[in-house]
Amino acid sequence: MNLKKNTELVFQQIADASQEANRALDAVSVIAVTKYVDVQTAEALLPLGVRHIGENRVDKFLEKYQALKDYPVTWHLIGTLQRRKVKEVIPYVDYFHALDSLKLAQEIQKRTDHVIKCFLQVNISGEESKHGFSKEELLELLPELAKLDQIEYVGLMTMAPFEADSDELKEIFKDTQALQAEIREKQIPNMPMTELSMGMSRDFKEAIQFGSTFVRIGTAFFK
Ligand SMILES: *Cc1c(COP(=O)(O)O)cnc(C)c1O
């Protein structure tokens, strides 16, 4: 694994995809998903220009955070969070990407002493194995979610099915972007909805085409 070369390639490909989509070069933030590697390898990314680190599990998140917290890094928890683990991890999280139930939102509200930036995870494709709100469910719950003033709903997060082809990916990301706009237009004070967390190593190109502002990239850094 050549970390320097991989990192340069990731940044270059994201810049190219942004340009092709007529997006500004700084419109898309790259989260390096370090779940495949140890602390030392994650640390080696920082002098290469990585500013965002993401982990999908609480224990791994805390391990990386404790070791690297003195670096100028923005910390993303990107995976499913059990309610009983909220208390343990939420003080260290800058962005939480997988808010997928009202009960979880209420637990975050109860346990935090500062406003937490959260993405509402949506399951646009209706795939059964994926977490997230359906469109209808989310629109119905918005008034309840909006009452939780310790949460800033910065945007929507989605994960496309592994086997989706390019047309299916585009449809999923387009529908997610449309739902983001629909919620943003409601102008709810703690729901700015300016961000979209979509795109992984295999589908960031399509995600950037449909307005992604945070791509979550693992494999491409560490292959
Ligand atoms: C692992 C993971 C990623 C990164 O996936 P790659 O295909 O390795 O780029 C992104 N988002 C979530 C939620 C993940 O768990």
Side-chain angles (χ1 to χ4, degrees), residues 55-80:
E55 281 284 338
N56 67 332
R57 292 176 50 120
V58 168
D59 51 347
K60 291 288 180 68
F61 177 96
L62 290 171
E63 186 193 358
K64 301 281 194 327
Y65 175 82
Q66 290 304 339
L68 305 176
K69 63 176 186 290
D70 294 332
Y71 285 97
V73 166
T74 300
W75 291 92
H76 299 260
L77 184 63
I78 62 173
T80 309

mmCIF file with all atom_site columns, all heavy atoms in Angstrom, residues 55-80:
data_model
loop_
_atom_site.group_PDB
_atom_site.id
_atom_site.type_symbol
_atom_site.label_atom_id
_atom_site.label_alt_id
_atom_site.label_comp_id
_atom_site.label_asym_id
_atom_site.label_entity_id
_atom_site.label_seq_id
_atom_site.pdbx_PDB_ins_code
_atom_site.Cartn_x
_atom_site.Cartn_y
_atom_site.Cartn_z
_atom_site.occupancy
_atom_site.B_iso_or_equiv
_atom_site.pdbx_formal_charge
_atom_site.auth_seq_id
_atom_site.auth_comp_id
_atom_site.auth_asym_id
_atom_site.auth_atom_id
_atom_site.pdbx_PDB_model_num
ATOM 1   N N   . GLU A 1 55 ? -15.074 7.102  11.482 1.00 0.00 ? 55 GLU A N   1
ATOM 2   C CA  . GLU A 1 55 ? -15.089 5.713  11.940 1.00 0.00 ? 55 GLU A CA  1
ATOM 3   C C   . GLU A 1 55 ? -16.540 5.295  12.070 1.00 0.00 ? 55 GLU A C   1
ATOM 4   O O   . GLU A 1 55 ? -17.400 6.116  12.406 1.00 0.00 ? 55 GLU A O   1
ATOM 5   C CB  . GLU A 1 55 ? -14.388 5.586  13.301 1.00 0.00 ? 55 GLU A CB  1
ATOM 6   C CG  . GLU A 1 55 ? -12.871 5.577  13.216 1.00 0.00 ? 55 GLU A CG  1
ATOM 7   C CD  . GLU A 1 55 ? -12.306 4.243  12.718 1.00 0.00 ? 55 GLU A CD  1
ATOM 8   O OE1 . GLU A 1 55 ? -12.995 3.206  12.830 1.00 0.00 ? 55 GLU A OE1 1
ATOM 9   O OE2 . GLU A 1 55 ? -11.158 4.252  12.222 1.00 0.00 ? 55 GLU A OE2 1
ATOM 10  N N   . ASN A 1 56 ? -16.823 3.994  11.830 1.00 0.00 ? 56 ASN A N   1
ATOM 11  C CA  . ASN A 1 56 ? -18.214 3.565  11.903 1.00 0.00 ? 56 ASN A CA  1
ATOM 12  C C   . ASN A 1 56 ? -18.566 2.876  13.217 1.00 0.00 ? 56 ASN A C   1
ATOM 13  O O   . ASN A 1 56 ? -19.719 2.626  13.476 1.00 0.00 ? 56 ASN A O   1
ATOM 14  C CB  . ASN A 1 56 ? -18.581 2.673  10.712 1.00 0.00 ? 56 ASN A CB  1
ATOM 15  C CG  . ASN A 1 56 ? -17.853 1.354  10.731 1.00 0.00 ? 56 ASN A CG  1
ATOM 16  O OD1 . ASN A 1 56 ? -16.745 1.259  11.264 1.00 0.00 ? 56 ASN A OD1 1
ATOM 17  N ND2 . ASN A 1 56 ? -18.453 0.329  10.168 1.00 0.00 ? 56 ASN A ND2 1
ATOM 18  N N   . ARG A 1 57 ? -17.543 2.581  14.057 1.00 0.00 ? 57 ARG A N   1
ATOM 19  C CA  . ARG A 1 57 ? -17.845 1.906  15.326 1.00 0.00 ? 57 ARG A CA  1
ATOM 20  C C   . ARG A 1 57 ? -17.334 2.732  16.500 1.00 0.00 ? 57 ARG A C   1
ATOM 21  O O   . ARG A 1 57 ? -16.250 3.315  16.436 1.00 0.00 ? 57 ARG A O   1
ATOM 22  C CB  . ARG A 1 57 ? -17.201 0.526  15.359 1.00 0.00 ? 57 ARG A CB  1
ATOM 23  C CG  . ARG A 1 57 ? -17.803 -0.456 14.361 1.00 0.00 ? 57 ARG A CG  1
ATOM 24  C CD  . ARG A 1 57 ? -17.012 -1.726 14.430 1.00 0.00 ? 57 ARG A CD  1
ATOM 25  N NE  . ARG A 1 57 ? -16.879 -2.154 15.820 1.00 0.00 ? 57 ARG A NE  1
ATOM 26  C CZ  . ARG A 1 57 ? -17.332 -3.311 16.288 1.00 0.00 ? 57 ARG A CZ  1
ATOM 27  N NH1 . ARG A 1 57 ? -17.938 -4.152 15.500 1.00 0.00 ? 57 ARG A NH1 1
ATOM 28  N NH2 . ARG A 1 57 ? -17.166 -3.625 17.567 1.00 0.00 ? 57 ARG A NH2 1
ATOM 29  N N   . VAL A 1 58 ? -18.096 2.704  17.580 1.00 0.00 ? 58 VAL A N   1
ATOM 30  C CA  . VAL A 1 58 ? -17.777 3.541  18.738 1.00 0.00 ? 58 VAL A CA  1
ATOM 31  C C   . VAL A 1 58 ? -16.390 3.235  19.309 1.00 0.00 ? 58 VAL A C   1
ATOM 32  O O   . VAL A 1 58 ? -15.604 4.146  19.580 1.00 0.00 ? 58 VAL A O   1
ATOM 33  C CB  . VAL A 1 58 ? -18.870 3.393  19.820 1.00 0.00 ? 58 VAL A CB  1
ATOM 34  C CG1 . VAL A 1 58 ? -18.426 4.008  21.141 1.00 0.00 ? 58 VAL A CG1 1
ATOM 35  C CG2 . VAL A 1 58 ? -20.157 4.042  19.343 1.00 0.00 ? 58 VAL A CG2 1
ATOM 36  N N   . ASP A 1 59 ? -16.064 1.957  19.481 1.00 0.00 ? 59 ASP A N   1
ATOM 37  C CA  . ASP A 1 59 ? -14.767 1.621  20.103 1.00 0.00 ? 59 ASP A CA  1
ATOM 38  C C   . ASP A 1 59 ? -13.600 2.086  19.228 1.00 0.00 ? 59 ASP A C   1
ATOM 39  O O   . ASP A 1 59 ? -12.622 2.673  19.715 1.00 0.00 ? 59 ASP A O   1
ATOM 40  C CB  . ASP A 1 59 ? -14.670 0.125  20.428 1.00 0.00 ? 59 ASP A CB  1
ATOM 41  C CG  . ASP A 1 59 ? -15.007 -0.770 19.243 1.00 0.00 ? 59 ASP A CG  1
ATOM 42  O OD1 . ASP A 1 59 ? -15.554 -0.264 18.226 1.00 0.00 ? 59 ASP A OD1 1
ATOM 43  O OD2 . ASP A 1 59 ? -14.720 -1.969 19.306 1.00 0.00 ? 59 ASP A OD2 1
ATOM 44  N N   . LYS A 1 60 ? -13.710 1.883  17.929 1.00 0.00 ? 60 LYS A N   1
ATOM 45  C CA  . LYS A 1 60 ? -12.650 2.321  17.005 1.00 0.00 ? 60 LYS A CA  1
ATOM 46  C C   . LYS A 1 60 ? -12.567 3.841  16.929 1.00 0.00 ? 60 LYS A C   1
ATOM 47  O O   . LYS A 1 60 ? -11.487 4.421  16.827 1.00 0.00 ? 60 LYS A O   1
ATOM 48  C CB  . LYS A 1 60 ? -12.897 1.751  15.597 1.00 0.00 ? 60 LYS A CB  1
ATOM 49  C CG  . LYS A 1 60 ? -12.706 0.248  15.489 1.00 0.00 ? 60 LYS A CG  1
ATOM 50  C CD  . LYS A 1 60 ? -11.234 -0.096 15.574 1.00 0.00 ? 60 LYS A CD  1
ATOM 51  C CE  . LYS A 1 60 ? -10.949 -1.582 15.482 1.00 0.00 ? 60 LYS A CE  1
ATOM 52  N NZ  . LYS A 1 60 ? -11.225 -2.157 14.181 1.00 0.00 ? 60 LYS A NZ  1
ATOM 53  N N   . PHE A 1 61 ? -13.702 4.483  16.967 1.00 0.00 ? 61 PHE A N   1
ATOM 54  C CA  . PHE A 1 61 ? -13.732 5.944  16.965 1.00 0.00 ? 61 PHE A CA  1
ATOM 55  C C   . PHE A 1 61 ? -12.960 6.476  18.168 1.00 0.00 ? 61 PHE A C   1
ATOM 56  O O   . PHE A 1 61 ? -12.091 7.347  18.043 1.00 0.00 ? 61 PHE A O   1
ATOM 57  C CB  . PHE A 1 61 ? -15.187 6.450  17.002 1.00 0.00 ? 61 PHE A CB  1
ATOM 58  C CG  . PHE A 1 61 ? -15.303 7.952  17.079 1.00 0.00 ? 61 PHE A CG  1
ATOM 59  C CD1 . PHE A 1 61 ? -15.485 8.705  15.922 1.00 0.00 ? 61 PHE A CD1 1
ATOM 60  C CD2 . PHE A 1 61 ? -15.211 8.616  18.300 1.00 0.00 ? 61 PHE A CD2 1
ATOM 61  C CE1 . PHE A 1 61 ? -15.577 10.100 15.990 1.00 0.00 ? 61 PHE A CE1 1
ATOM 62  C CE2 . PHE A 1 61 ? -15.287 10.006 18.371 1.00 0.00 ? 61 PHE A CE2 1
ATOM 63  C CZ  . PHE A 1 61 ? -15.467 10.742 17.216 1.00 0.00 ? 61 PHE A CZ  1
ATOM 64  N N   . LEU A 1 62 ? -13.272 5.937  19.349 1.00 0.00 ? 62 LEU A N   1
ATOM 65  C CA  . LEU A 1 62 ? -12.646 6.438  20.579 1.00 0.00 ? 62 LEU A CA  1
ATOM 66  C C   . LEU A 1 62 ? -11.141 6.167  20.585 1.00 0.00 ? 62 LEU A C   1
ATOM 67  O O   . LEU A 1 62 ? -10.354 6.996  21.046 1.00 0.00 ? 62 LEU A O   1
ATOM 68  C CB  . LEU A 1 62 ? -13.314 5.805  21.807 1.00 0.00 ? 62 LEU A CB  1
ATOM 69  C CG  . LEU A 1 62 ? -14.755 6.287  22.057 1.00 0.00 ? 62 LEU A CG  1
ATOM 70  C CD1 . LEU A 1 62 ? -15.414 5.457  23.152 1.00 0.00 ? 62 LEU A CD1 1
ATOM 71  C CD2 . LEU A 1 62 ? -14.783 7.769  22.404 1.00 0.00 ? 62 LEU A CD2 1
ATOM 72  N N   . GLU A 1 63 ? -10.741 5.027  20.042 1.00 0.00 ? 63 GLU A N   1
ATOM 73  C CA  . GLU A 1 63 ? -9.314  4.691  19.969 1.00 0.00 ? 63 GLU A CA  1
ATOM 74  C C   . GLU A 1 63 ? -8.560  5.717  19.112 1.00 0.00 ? 63 GLU A C   1
ATOM 75  O O   . GLU A 1 63 ? -7.528  6.261  19.524 1.00 0.00 ? 63 GLU A O   1
ATOM 76  C CB  . GLU A 1 63 ? -9.171  3.282  19.374 1.00 0.00 ? 63 GLU A CB  1
ATOM 77  C CG  . GLU A 1 63 ? -7.746  2.768  19.388 1.00 0.00 ? 63 GLU A CG  1
ATOM 78  C CD  . GLU A 1 63 ? -7.570  1.526  18.521 1.00 0.00 ? 63 GLU A CD  1
ATOM 79  O OE1 . GLU A 1 63 ? -8.568  1.035  17.940 1.00 0.00 ? 63 GLU A OE1 1
ATOM 80  O OE2 . GLU A 1 63 ? -6.417  1.062  18.419 1.00 0.00 ? 63 GLU A OE2 1
ATOM 81  N N   . LYS A 1 64 ? -9.084  6.005  17.931 1.00 0.00 ? 64 LYS A N   1
ATOM 82  C CA  . LYS A 1 64 ? -8.421  6.971  17.031 1.00 0.00 ? 64 LYS A CA  1
ATOM 83  C C   . LYS A 1 64 ? -8.482  8.374  17.639 1.00 0.00 ? 64 LYS A C   1
ATOM 84  O O   . LYS A 1 64 ? -7.508  9.126  17.598 1.00 0.00 ? 64 LYS A O   1
ATOM 85  C CB  . LYS A 1 64 ? -9.100  6.980  15.650 1.00 0.00 ? 64 LYS A CB  1
ATOM 86  C CG  . LYS A 1 64 ? -9.103  5.643  14.919 1.00 0.00 ? 64 LYS A CG  1
ATOM 87  C CD  . LYS A 1 64 ? -7.793  5.354  14.271 1.00 0.00 ? 64 LYS A CD  1
ATOM 88  C CE  . LYS A 1 64 ? -7.804  4.211  13.254 1.00 0.00 ? 64 LYS A CE  1
ATOM 89  N NZ  . LYS A 1 64 ? -8.679  3.052  13.417 1.00 0.00 ? 64 LYS A NZ  1
ATOM 90  N N   . TYR A 1 65 ? -9.615  8.715  18.197 1.00 0.00 ? 65 TYR A N   1
ATOM 91  C CA  . TYR A 1 65 ? -9.775  10.057 18.764 1.00 0.00 ? 65 TYR A CA  1
ATOM 92  C C   . TYR A 1 65 ? -8.775  10.293 19.907 1.00 0.00 ? 65 TYR A C   1
ATOM 93  O O   . TYR A 1 65 ? -8.096  11.330 19.932 1.00 0.00 ? 65 TYR A O   1
ATOM 94  C CB  . TYR A 1 65 ? -11.220 10.263 19.272 1.00 0.00 ? 65 TYR A CB  1
ATOM 95  C CG  . TYR A 1 65 ? -11.376 11.589 19.967 1.00 0.00 ? 65 TYR A CG  1
ATOM 96  C CD1 . TYR A 1 65 ? -11.578 12.761 19.236 1.00 0.00 ? 65 TYR A CD1 1
ATOM 97  C CD2 . TYR A 1 65 ? -11.267 11.697 21.355 1.00 0.00 ? 65 TYR A CD2 1
ATOM 98  C CE1 . TYR A 1 65 ? -11.675 13.990 19.859 1.00 0.00 ? 65 TYR A CE1 1
ATOM 99  C CE2 . TYR A 1 65 ? -11.360 12.923 21.988 1.00 0.00 ? 65 TYR A CE2 1
ATOM 100 C CZ  . TYR A 1 65 ? -11.561 14.064 21.232 1.00 0.00 ? 65 TYR A CZ  1
ATOM 101 O OH  . TYR A 1 65 ? -11.632 15.282 21.853 1.00 0.00 ? 65 TYR A OH  1
ATOM 102 N N   . GLN A 1 66 ? -8.675  9.340  20.816 1.00 0.00 ? 66 GLN A N   1
ATOM 103 C CA  . GLN A 1 66 ? -7.760  9.510  21.964 1.00 0.00 ? 66 GLN A CA  1
ATOM 104 C C   . GLN A 1 66 ? -6.324  9.704  21.488 1.00 0.00 ? 66 GLN A C   1
ATOM 105 O O   . GLN A 1 66 ? -5.594  10.533 22.007 1.00 0.00 ? 66 GLN A O   1
ATOM 106 C CB  . GLN A 1 66 ? -7.828  8.296  22.902 1.00 0.00 ? 66 GLN A CB  1
ATOM 107 C CG  . GLN A 1 66 ? -9.132  8.165  23.673 1.00 0.00 ? 66 GLN A CG  1
ATOM 108 C CD  . GLN A 1 66 ? -9.488  9.391  24.507 1.00 0.00 ? 66 GLN A CD  1
ATOM 109 O OE1 . GLN A 1 66 ? -8.639  10.213 24.846 1.00 0.00 ? 66 GLN A OE1 1
ATOM 110 N NE2 . GLN A 1 66 ? -10.772 9.546  24.824 1.00 0.00 ? 66 GLN A NE2 1
ATOM 111 N N   . ALA A 1 67 ? -5.931  8.938  20.467 1.00 0.00 ? 67 ALA A N   1
ATOM 112 C CA  . ALA A 1 67 ? -4.544  8.980  19.996 1.00 0.00 ? 67 ALA A CA  1
ATOM 113 C C   . ALA A 1 67 ? -4.247  10.247 19.179 1.00 0.00 ? 67 ALA A C   1
ATOM 114 O O   . ALA A 1 67 ? -3.116  10.742 19.202 1.00 0.00 ? 67 ALA A O   1
ATOM 115 C CB  . ALA A 1 67 ? -4.258  7.737  19.152 1.00 0.00 ? 67 ALA A CB  1
ATOM 116 N N   . LEU A 1 68 ? -5.234  10.773 18.483 1.00 0.00 ? 68 LEU A N   1
ATOM 117 C CA  . LEU A 1 68 ? -4.961  11.826 17.487 1.00 0.00 ? 68 LEU A CA  1
ATOM 118 C C   . LEU A 1 68 ? -5.683  13.142 17.771 1.00 0.00 ? 68 LEU A C   1
ATOM 119 O O   . LEU A 1 68 ? -5.705  14.038 16.925 1.00 0.00 ? 68 LEU A O   1
ATOM 120 C CB  . LEU A 1 68 ? -5.354  11.307 16.078 1.00 0.00 ? 68 LEU A CB  1
ATOM 121 C CG  . LEU A 1 68 ? -4.709  9.986  15.653 1.00 0.00 ? 68 LEU A CG  1
ATOM 122 C CD1 . LEU A 1 68 ? -5.258  9.526  14.298 1.00 0.00 ? 68 LEU A CD1 1
ATOM 123 C CD2 . LEU A 1 68 ? -3.184  10.091 15.590 1.00 0.00 ? 68 LEU A CD2 1
ATOM 124 N N   . LYS A 1 69 ? -6.214  13.277 18.972 1.00 0.00 ? 69 LYS A N   1
ATOM 125 C CA  . LYS A 1 69 ? -7.078  14.440 19.231 1.00 0.00 ? 69 LYS A CA  1
ATOM 126 C C   . LYS A 1 69 ? -6.353  15.778 19.218 1.00 0.00 ? 69 LYS A C   1
ATOM 127 O O   . LYS A 1 69 ? -6.997  16.824 19.099 1.00 0.00 ? 69 LYS A O   1
ATOM 128 C CB  . LYS A 1 69 ? -7.839  14.266 20.545 1.00 0.00 ? 69 LYS A CB  1
ATOM 129 C CG  . LYS A 1 69 ? -6.987  14.178 21.799 1.00 0.00 ? 69 LYS A CG  1
ATOM 130 C CD  . LYS A 1 69 ? -7.940  14.104 23.001 1.00 0.00 ? 69 LYS A CD  1
ATOM 131 C CE  . LYS A 1 69 ? -7.222  14.164 24.326 1.00 0.00 ? 69 LYS A CE  1
ATOM 132 N NZ  . LYS A 1 69 ? -6.428  12.969 24.629 1.00 0.00 ? 69 LYS A NZ  1
ATOM 133 N N   . ASP A 1 70 ? -5.018  15.773 19.305 1.00 0.00 ? 70 ASP A N   1
ATOM 134 C CA  . ASP A 1 70 ? -4.301  17.052 19.282 1.00 0.00 ? 70 ASP A CA  1
ATOM 135 C C   . ASP A 1 70 ? -4.031  17.573 17.870 1.00 0.00 ? 70 ASP A C   1
ATOM 136 O O   . ASP A 1 70 ? -3.532  18.683 17.699 1.00 0.00 ? 70 ASP A O   1
ATOM 137 C CB  . ASP A 1 70 ? -2.989  16.934 20.069 1.00 0.00 ? 70 ASP A CB  1
ATOM 138 C CG  . ASP A 1 70 ? -3.273  16.707 21.553 1.00 0.00 ? 70 ASP A CG  1
ATOM 139 O OD1 . ASP A 1 70 ? -4.341  17.162 22.026 1.00 0.00 ? 70 ASP A OD1 1
ATOM 140 O OD2 . ASP A 1 70 ? -2.450  16.070 22.231 1.00 0.00 ? 70 ASP A OD2 1
ATOM 141 N N   . TYR A 1 71 ? -4.333  16.755 16.887 1.00 0.00 ? 71 TYR A N   1
ATOM 142 C CA  . TYR A 1 71 ? -4.197  17.213 15.491 1.00 0.00 ? 71 TYR A CA  1
ATOM 143 C C   . TYR A 1 71 ? -5.414  18.044 15.082 1.00 0.00 ? 71 TYR A C   1
ATOM 144 O O   . TYR A 1 71 ? -6.493  17.888 15.649 1.00 0.00 ? 71 TYR A O   1
ATOM 145 C CB  . TYR A 1 71 ? -4.107  16.014 14.541 1.00 0.00 ? 71 TYR A CB  1
ATOM 146 C CG  . TYR A 1 71 ? -2.776  15.300 14.552 1.00 0.00 ? 71 TYR A CG  1
ATOM 147 C CD1 . TYR A 1 71 ? -2.585  14.158 15.322 1.00 0.00 ? 71 TYR A CD1 1
ATOM 148 C CD2 . TYR A 1 71 ? -1.718  15.754 13.766 1.00 0.00 ? 71 TYR A CD2 1
ATOM 149 C CE1 . TYR A 1 71 ? -1.371  13.483 15.322 1.00 0.00 ? 71 TYR A CE1 1
ATOM 150 C CE2 . TYR A 1 71 ? -0.508  15.085 13.752 1.00 0.00 ? 71 TYR A CE2 1
ATOM 151 C CZ  . TYR A 1 71 ? -0.338  13.956 14.534 1.00 0.00 ? 71 TYR A CZ  1
ATOM 152 O OH  . TYR A 1 71 ? 0.856   13.297 14.516 1.00 0.00 ? 71 TYR A OH  1
ATOM 153 N N   . PRO A 1 72 ? -5.244  18.913 14.071 1.00 0.00 ? 72 PRO A N   1
ATOM 154 C CA  . PRO A 1 72 ? -6.401  19.666 13.570 1.00 0.00 ? 72 PRO A CA  1
ATOM 155 C C   . PRO A 1 72 ? -7.299  18.781 12.698 1.00 0.00 ? 72 PRO A C   1
ATOM 156 O O   . PRO A 1 72 ? -7.225  18.817 11.472 1.00 0.00 ? 72 PRO A O   1
ATOM 157 C CB  . PRO A 1 72 ? -5.754  20.784 12.740 1.00 0.00 ? 72 PRO A CB  1
ATOM 158 C CG  . PRO A 1 72 ? -4.452  20.218 12.295 1.00 0.00 ? 72 PRO A CG  1
ATOM 159 C CD  . PRO A 1 72 ? -4.004  19.257 13.358 1.00 0.00 ? 72 PRO A CD  1
ATOM 160 N N   . VAL A 1 73 ? -8.122  17.975 13.362 1.00 0.00 ? 73 VAL A N   1
ATOM 161 C CA  . VAL A 1 73 ? -8.960  17.013 12.643 1.00 0.00 ? 73 VAL A CA  1
ATOM 162 C C   . VAL A 1 73 ? -10.413 17.245 13.026 1.00 0.00 ? 73 VAL A C   1
ATOM 163 O O   . VAL A 1 73 ? -10.715 17.543 14.176 1.00 0.00 ? 73 VAL A O   1
ATOM 164 C CB  . VAL A 1 73 ? -8.553  15.564 13.025 1.00 0.00 ? 73 VAL A CB  1
ATOM 165 C CG1 . VAL A 1 73 ? -9.606  14.557 12.566 1.00 0.00 ? 73 VAL A CG1 1
ATOM 166 C CG2 . VAL A 1 73 ? -7.194  15.195 12.450 1.00 0.00 ? 73 VAL A CG2 1
ATOM 167 N N   . THR A 1 74 ? -11.305 17.115 12.060 1.00 0.00 ? 74 THR A N   1
ATOM 168 C CA  . THR A 1 74 ? -12.746 17.100 12.336 1.00 0.00 ? 74 THR A CA  1
ATOM 169 C C   . THR A 1 74 ? -13.168 15.630 12.409 1.00 0.00 ? 74 THR A C   1
ATOM 170 O O   . THR A 1 74 ? -12.834 14.840 11.523 1.00 0.00 ? 74 THR A O   1
ATOM 171 C CB  . THR A 1 74 ? -13.510 17.846 11.223 1.00 0.00 ? 74 THR A CB  1
ATOM 172 O OG1 . THR A 1 74 ? -13.026 19.199 11.179 1.00 0.00 ? 74 THR A OG1 1
ATOM 173 C CG2 . THR A 1 74 ? -15.000 17.863 11.491 1.00 0.00 ? 74 THR A CG2 1
ATOM 174 N N   . TRP A 1 75 ? -13.904 15.300 13.491 1.00 0.00 ? 75 TRP A N   1
ATOM 175 C CA  . TRP A 1 75 ? -14.199 13.894 13.806 1.00 0.00 ? 75 TRP A CA  1
ATOM 176 C C   . TRP A 1 75 ? -15.623 13.524 13.423 1.00 0.00 ? 75 TRP A C   1
ATOM 177 O O   . TRP A 1 75 ? -16.584 14.147 13.878 1.00 0.00 ? 75 TRP A O   1
ATOM 178 C CB  . TRP A 1 75 ? -13.956 13.645 15.298 1.00 0.00 ? 75 TRP A CB  1
ATOM 179 C CG  . TRP A 1 75 ? -12.492 13.734 15.598 1.00 0.00 ? 75 TRP A CG  1
ATOM 180 C CD1 . TRP A 1 75 ? -11.793 14.838 15.999 1.00 0.00 ? 75 TRP A CD1 1
ATOM 181 C CD2 . TRP A 1 75 ? -11.538 12.678 15.452 1.00 0.00 ? 75 TRP A CD2 1
ATOM 182 N NE1 . TRP A 1 75 ? -10.455 14.524 16.111 1.00 0.00 ? 75 TRP A NE1 1
ATOM 183 C CE2 . TRP A 1 75 ? -10.270 13.222 15.797 1.00 0.00 ? 75 TRP A CE2 1
ATOM 184 C CE3 . TRP A 1 75 ? -11.626 11.328 15.072 1.00 0.00 ? 75 TRP A CE3 1
ATOM 185 C CZ2 . TRP A 1 75 ? -9.100  12.445 15.752 1.00 0.00 ? 75 TRP A CZ2 1
ATOM 186 C CZ3 . TRP A 1 75 ? -10.470 10.573 15.037 1.00 0.00 ? 75 TRP A CZ3 1
ATOM 187 C CH2 . TRP A 1 75 ? -9.233  11.131 15.372 1.00 0.00 ? 75 TRP A CH2 1
ATOM 188 N N   . HIS A 1 76 ? -15.734 12.461 12.604 1.00 0.00 ? 76 HIS A N   1
ATOM 189 C CA  . HIS A 1 76 ? -17.032 12.016 12.095 1.00 0.00 ? 76 HIS A CA  1
ATOM 190 C C   . HIS A 1 76 ? -17.345 10.600 12.581 1.00 0.00 ? 76 HIS A C   1
ATOM 191 O O   . HIS A 1 76 ? -16.543 9.683  12.341 1.00 0.00 ? 76 HIS A O   1
ATOM 192 C CB  . HIS A 1 76 ? -17.020 11.997 10.563 1.00 0.00 ? 76 HIS A CB  1
ATOM 193 C CG  . HIS A 1 76 ? -16.764 13.343 9.942  1.00 0.00 ? 76 HIS A CG  1
ATOM 194 N ND1 . HIS A 1 76 ? -17.779 14.122 9.435  1.00 0.00 ? 76 HIS A ND1 1
ATOM 195 C CD2 . HIS A 1 76 ? -15.617 14.049 9.755  1.00 0.00 ? 76 HIS A CD2 1
ATOM 196 C CE1 . HIS A 1 76 ? -17.264 15.247 8.957  1.00 0.00 ? 76 HIS A CE1 1
ATOM 197 N NE2 . HIS A 1 76 ? -15.953 15.226 9.131  1.00 0.00 ? 76 HIS A NE2 1
ATOM 198 N N   . LEU A 1 77 ? -18.484 10.422 13.219 1.00 0.00 ? 77 LEU A N   1
ATOM 199 C CA  . LEU A 1 77 ? -18.968 9.074  13.513 1.00 0.00 ? 77 LEU A CA  1
ATOM 200 C C   . LEU A 1 77 ? -19.989 8.762  12.427 1.00 0.00 ? 77 LEU A C   1
ATOM 201 O O   . LEU A 1 77 ? -21.026 9.433  12.319 1.00 0.00 ? 77 LEU A O   1
ATOM 202 C CB  . LEU A 1 77 ? -19.606 9.021  14.908 1.00 0.00 ? 77 LEU A CB  1
ATOM 203 C CG  . LEU A 1 77 ? -20.069 7.635  15.359 1.00 0.00 ? 77 LEU A CG  1
ATOM 204 C CD1 . LEU A 1 77 ? -18.904 6.649  15.471 1.00 0.00 ? 77 LEU A CD1 1
ATOM 205 C CD2 . LEU A 1 77 ? -20.800 7.714  16.700 1.00 0.00 ? 77 LEU A CD2 1
ATOM 206 N N   . ILE A 1 78 ? -19.674 7.750  11.595 1.00 0.00 ? 78 ILE A N   1
ATOM 207 C CA  . ILE A 1 78 ? -20.472 7.564  10.371 1.00 0.00 ? 78 ILE A CA  1
ATOM 208 C C   . ILE A 1 78 ? -21.396 6.353  10.431 1.00 0.00 ? 78 ILE A C   1
ATOM 209 O O   . ILE A 1 78 ? -22.228 6.188  9.552  1.00 0.00 ? 78 ILE A O   1
ATOM 210 C CB  . ILE A 1 78 ? -19.551 7.455  9.124  1.00 0.00 ? 78 ILE A CB  1
ATOM 211 C CG1 . ILE A 1 78 ? -18.631 6.243  9.235  1.00 0.00 ? 78 ILE A CG1 1
ATOM 212 C CG2 . ILE A 1 78 ? -18.737 8.737  8.939  1.00 0.00 ? 78 ILE A CG2 1
ATOM 213 C CD1 . ILE A 1 78 ? -17.827 5.976  7.971  1.00 0.00 ? 78 ILE A CD1 1
ATOM 214 N N   . GLY A 1 79 ? -21.245 5.505  11.456 1.00 0.00 ? 79 GLY A N   1
ATOM 215 C CA  . GLY A 1 79 ? -22.023 4.262  11.472 1.00 0.00 ? 79 GLY A CA  1
ATOM 216 C C   . GLY A 1 79 ? -23.129 4.275  12.515 1.00 0.00 ? 79 GLY A C   1
ATOM 217 O O   . GLY A 1 79 ? -23.226 5.184  13.343 1.00 0.00 ? 79 GLY A O   1
ATOM 218 N N   . THR A 1 80 ? -23.942 3.234  12.454 1.00 0.00 ? 80 THR A N   1
ATOM 219 C CA  . THR A 1 80 ? -25.046 3.030  13.389 1.00 0.00 ? 80 THR A CA  1
ATOM 220 C C   . THR A 1 80 ? -24.597 3.192  14.832 1.00 0.00 ? 80 THR A C   1
ATOM 221 O O   . THR A 1 80 ? -23.537 2.706  15.214 1.00 0.00 ? 80 THR A O   1
ATOM 222 C CB  . THR A 1 80 ? -25.562 1.583  13.203 1.00 0.00 ? 80 THR A CB  1
ATOM 223 O OG1 . THR A 1 80 ? -25.796 1.376  11.815 1.00 0.00 ? 80 THR A OG1 1
ATOM 224 C CG2 . THR A 1 80 ? -26.840 1.344  13.973 1.00 0.00 ? 80 THR A CG2 1
#
